[in-house]
Amino acid sequence: MFADRAKIYIRSGKGGDGHVSFRREKFVPNGGPDGGDGGNGGSVIFEVDEGLNTLTDLRHIRKYCAEDGENGGKRNCHGKNGNDIIVKVPQGTVIREFESGKIIADMSGDNRRQTIISGGRGGNGNQHYATSTMQAPKYAQPGQPAKELTLSLELKVIADVGLVGFPNVGKSTLLSRVTNARPKIANYHFTTLNPNLGVVDMEDGNGFVIADIPGLIEGASEGVGLGHEFLRHIERTKVLIHLVDAASTEGRDPVRDIYAINNELAVYNADIAKRPQVIAANKIDAIVDEEGRINPIEKIRQEFEPQGIKVFPISAVAGTGVRELLFYVRKLLEEINEPPTVFEPQFNPDTDIVVGNEPYTVEYDSKKDEYVVEGPRIEKMLGYTNLDSEKGFKFFQGFLKDNGILDRLEELGIEEGATVRMYGLSFSYYKE
């Protein structure tokens, strides 16, 4: 099954907590602090795998979590760092933050490996907080919390040239003739259910990559039919070969078909519709000359060549005119001489996700005439902080200030001497 979209959940590892301990050795009654640091959490890394061409695996495994760092230990033992987790994706995968749709990374070009979310940093053990006046600190730093993200992944194939056109006009036949690709070919609509890539090997060795995009129909850009599922795959192409059934074997008007497909491209992405385009008028071997009827090839030329779009009559089955078409397309590519489109990042998880910004509430309890501060990180910090020491109390005050809690109390109109309650502990409020 070809899959070009997936939704997954990723989580980095939490940093290990620093440890609180003191040397307990014979003949050393007042040993100093020896609490070790916590290990760093593992990161979530995306890596291009040349052997992959779909996102099928990521639709079966939807959760990817790196390993947490170990807590520090006594005797200055450093906690073990958590292992990273590596997610393998095909080249051309665009990684987006699910809620906003903003691009985090495009795994294309030189970008073969990228850390999407970094693991939490391990906390310092209590040995780091010893000073000449505080020789026995009873607190350590907790590790940074894990980061988590829901991602949407989208595969946009990397090809120089895109083959577009209505179903059954011969795109797969042309691709199989000019490349080593072997797409499934049959005479019914929507035979091609996934993009096929092939390399065109030119006589002088300067080839290019061509993609057969599944047949579009009118309304594809609005979700009608199957073609709209694959419009994303022509976003990186530099030149479009617009294949049309010049013989009208199914009774369709080739001129009208060209306009219809170009309209779908413009509705989906106006930039794509402006790219250089070549019309390949296919099935010339099936054209029947009728007296008094204008030749369909001339009709197409009269309509589009004044617009600067070159028309090549070809037969994908017999190979007639194909060589001239390919050399002209290669000439267009040389004139453009640009690398494939690589989408710029719009979202940086390491800066746009606030580490440790767990929710908290600051409220005034009018019945008890006191201010109540609660939240998971506050509870955690209280558990790690020795409020009986001057150093520990200042450490906790700094935490309240850095997290905006003191500002919130000021907004609520707190006055000096007022009572602030945090999980059963009460404090009198005084400005510094």
Side-chain angles (χ1 to χ4, degrees), residues 2 211 310:
F2 179 82
K310 186 80 171 170

Side-chain angles (χ1 to χ4, degrees), residues 42-359:
S43 300
V44 181
I45 300 169
F46 276 62
E47 189 173 85
V48 170
D49 186 335
E50 299 291 351
L52 296 176
N53 55 19
T54 79
L55 298 174
T56 301
D57 292 347
L58 282 82
R59 295 181 72 165
H60 294 306
I61 304 173
R62 296 175 179 265
K63 192 173 183 180
Y64 297 84
C65 299
E67 193 176 43
D68 292 340
E70 288 186 354
N71 296 335
K74 61 178 69 174
R75 297 181 182 176
N76 299 325
C77 286
H78 194 292
K80 179 185 173 185
N81 292 336
N83 291 323
D84 299 331
I85 187 167
I86 297 176
V87 183
K88 300 291 185 72
V89 294
Q91 185 180 14
T93 301
V94 178
I95 304 167
R96 299 177 185 269
E97 196 274 321
F98 180 76
E99 292 296 333
S100 67
K102 291 182 177 179
I103 294 173
I104 297 174
D106 183 354
M107 305 304 292
S108 305
D110 296 330
N111 189 21
R112 319 297 292 178
R113 179 183 171 97
Q114 181 167 337
T115 299
I116 301 300
I117 48 176
S118 304
R121 191 174 61 248
N124 292 328
N126 69 331
Q127 59 175 308
H128 292 277
Y129 301 105
T131 66
S132 57
T133 57
M134 173 57 65
Q135 298 180 8
K138 296 180 181 178
Y139 51 85
Q141 184 183 34
Q144 285 185 339
K147 298 174 188 169
E148 54 185 16
L149 266 179
T150 300
L151 304 176
S152 63
L153 307 180
E154 200 174 41
L155 176 59
K156 299 177 189 282
V157 299
I158 297 175
D160 301 304
V161 178
L163 275 175
V164 298
F166 269 83
N168 232 22
V169 295
K171 296 192 301 298
S172 296
T173 303
L174 178 61
L175 186 75
S176 65
R177 171 165 286 280
V178 302
T179 74
N180 56 359
R182 293 293 175 263
K184 180 181 176 184
I185 300 171
N187 189 30
Y188 51 89
H189 287 187
F190 297 119
T191 303
T192 305
L193 297 181
N194 55 278
N196 289 300
L197 283 177
V199 178
V200 177
D201 292 320
M202 305 294 285
E203 297 166 14
D204 57 6
N206 295 322
F208 53 86
V209 179
I210 190 169
D212 163 22
I213 308 302
L216 305 178
I217 61 174
E218 287 181 271
S221 58
E222 299 172 359
V224 178
L226 296 178
H228 76 286
E229 292 290 334
F230 305 101
L231 276 165
R232 68 179 63 87
H233 294 296
I234 58 176
E235 289 191 47
R236 297 190 199 270
T237 57
K238 305 172 191 174
V239 174
L240 298 178
I241 296 178
H242 198 142
L243 211 64
V244 66
D245 179 1
S248 301
T249 57
E250 296 187 348
R252 305 185 61 85
D253 178 1
V255 171
R256 184 186 177 281
D257 282 359
I258 293 169
Y259 278 121
I261 294 298
N262 283 344
N263 181 64
E264 293 305 317
L265 297 177
V267 171
Y268 177 74
N269 186 328
D271 289 336
I272 293 174
K274 296 175 184 174
R275 288 175 194 170
Q277 187 174 131
V278 180
I279 294 174
N282 193 25
K283 303 188 181 181
I284 58 173
D285 50 322
I287 293 176
V288 178
D289 291 328
E290 296 180 12
E291 190 174 339
R293 176 192 172 200
I294 187 172
N295 184 287
I297 300 297
E298 289 306 311
K299 184 180 178 182
I300 297 170
R301 279 181 168 148
Q302 289 172 14
E303 184 70 28
F304 294 101
E305 289 200 341
Q307 301 178 33
I309 303 175
K310 186 80 171 170
V311 177
F312 286 85
I314 69 164
S315 170
V317 171
T320 308
V322 171
R323 184 175 182 274
E324 292 80 3
L325 169 69
L326 296 180
F327 270 97
Y328 181 77
V329 169
R330 209 271 306 278
K331 179 172 170 286
L332 285 178
L333 290 172
E334 289 173 349
E335 291 173 356
I336 296 170
N337 194 27
E338 294 177 357
T341 301
V342 176
F343 299 95
E344 293 297 321
Q346 304 163 323
F347 184 95
N348 184 344
D350 281 336
T351 56
D352 294 342
I353 299 177
V354 180
V355 178
N357 190 23
E358 295 173 292

Side-chain angles (χ1 to χ4, degrees), residues 380-400:
K380 189 187 302 181
M381 286 298 294
L382 284 169
Y384 281 110
T385 307
N386 177 20
L387 298 176
D388 293 333
S389 72
E390 181 181 355
K391 178 97 173 181
F393 196 78
K394 284 187 175 181
F395 182 77
F396 189 67
Q397 272 189 316
F399 162 78
L400 297 177

